[in-house]
């Protein structure tokens, strides 16, 4: 964990942990004082990339701003659902602020934010970028390409449609190599690996999602 609102201190912590060894990821909440793609945070990402650490963003955090675009929610149920649009805003910030263009080796892991929203976000960003690309000349490719190449997702909470085959369609667009199984145990909405992913997976997809992708990303034996 790093204090992302103090980038200089965050960089020192990354360097300290790199010297110690045994660490595989830099974590901080996606809800920051400013969108995480802003330049004040770039030294953090440069240090993480230098030491081979992905950036992990676990849902949550209370930076002082309302947790939804419509203000503070009344019920936890509203707050729970607000995690997903928050992750979408994080992804858009990394792409349109130019972080992923500047640091092509950086990897972003979205933790406990679901994943089936990613295709629609990619399509929406591509459509807007096609008309507004002059505003962001540093974004040299369709946003969905950055999304596919740089962003990883953990599965929990899996959005499970009535027809399991529909989940397979989302998985095909995102890529099975970008999904990592997570349980969130012992929280009330944790996913049991025995019953998760009701859609049909190939043996290769199952091996990747339930272990192989994480081992490759975090360089685990």
């Amino acid at each position: 964990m790093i204090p992302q609102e103090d980038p200089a201190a965050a960089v020192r912590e990354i360097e300290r942990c790199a010297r110690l060894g045994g660490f595989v990821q830099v974590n901080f909440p996606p809800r920051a004082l400013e969108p995480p793609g802003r330049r004040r945070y770039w030294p953090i990402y440069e240090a993480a990339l230098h030491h081979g650490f992905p950036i992990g963003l676990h849902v949550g955090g209370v930076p002082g701003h309302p947790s939804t675009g419509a203000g503070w929610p009344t019920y936890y149920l509203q707050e729970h659902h607000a995690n997903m649009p928050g992750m979408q805003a994080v992804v858009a910030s990394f792409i349109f602020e130019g972080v992923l263009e500047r640091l092509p080796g950086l990897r972003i892991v979205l933790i406990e934010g679901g994943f089936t929203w990613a295709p629609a976000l990619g399509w929406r960003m591509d459509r807007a970028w096609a008309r507004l690309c002059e505003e962001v000349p540093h974004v040299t490719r369709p946003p969905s390409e950055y999304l596919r190449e740089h962003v990883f997702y953990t599965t929990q909470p899996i959005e499970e449609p009535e027809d399991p085959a529909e989940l397979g369609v989302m998985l095909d667009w995102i890529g099975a190599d970008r999904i990592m199984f997570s349980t969130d145990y012992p929280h009330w909405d944790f996913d049991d690996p025995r019953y998760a992913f009701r859609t049909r997976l190939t043996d290769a997809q199952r091996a990747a999602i339930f272990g192989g992708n994480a081992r490759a990303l975090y360089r685990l034996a």
Side-chain angles (χ1 to χ4, degrees):
M1 290 298 296
I2 59 166
Q4 78 269 27
E5 303 305 346
D6 186 342
V11 169
R12 290 195 298 271
E13 179 66 3
I14 292 171
E15 293 174 344
R16 184 187 72 86
C17 291
R19 289 193 302 270
L20 287 175
F23 294 88
V24 298
Q25 182 167 268
V26 175
N27 287 316
F28 60 89
R31 292 175 182 167
L33 290 178
E34 300 179 47
R38 291 281 175 84
R39 287 179 179 267
R40 66 184 297 255
Y41 300 115
W42 285 19
I44 296 173
Y45 312 138
E46 291 167 350
L49 180 58
H50 175 74
H51 292 289
F53 295 139
I55 296 292
L57 297 115
H58 184 279
V59 294
V62 184
H65 304 301
S67 58
T68 80
W72 290 106
T74 302
Y75 301 104
Y76 171 68
L77 178 60
Q78 295 168 276
E79 165 70 13
H80 191 266
H81 285 286
N83 290 326
M84 281 54 175
M87 286 297 200
Q88 294 182 43
V90 163
V91 169
S93 180
F94 275 112
I95 292 172
F96 291 123
E97 299 275 359
V99 176
L100 302 183
E101 177 68 25
R102 179 181 176 85
L103 303 174
L106 190 66
R107 297 294 179 261
I108 308 296
V109 183
L110 305 182
I111 304 168
E112 200 179 343
F115 60 91
T116 61
W117 47 264
L121 176 64
W123 304 330
R124 189 178 303 114
M125 289 193 299
D126 283 358
R127 181 179 177 85
W129 176 79
R131 292 161 174 79
L132 301 172
C133 58
E134 292 183 357
E135 184 181 19
V136 287
H138 48 273
V139 179
T140 62
R141 297 181 290 146
S144 62
E145 293 187 14
Y146 296 97
L147 188 65
R148 288 194 188 97
E149 293 175 12
H150 292 267
V151 180
F152 291 75
Y153 312 83
T154 65
T155 56
Q156 206 284 330
I158 298 175
E159 303 96 334
E160 296 185 280
E162 290 296 323
D163 181 358
E166 295 174 355
L167 186 61
V169 173
M170 297 294 100
L171 188 63
D172 289 340
W173 190 95
I174 296 167
D177 61 331
R178 289 296 184 265
I179 308 293
M180 298 182 289
F181 179 74
S182 60
T183 67
D184 200 32
Y185 181 84
H187 288 180
W188 64 273
D189 59 343
F190 80 94
D191 290 328
D192 189 319
R194 295 172 297 175
Y195 308 113
F197 267 101
R198 291 185 297 123
T199 189
R200 185 181 297 277
L201 297 174
T202 66
D203 290 344
Q205 287 175 325
R206 182 168 294 277
I209 292 170
F210 282 84
N213 293 337
R215 287 196 296 270
L217 177 64
Y218 298 120
R219 297 177 295 180
L220 304 175

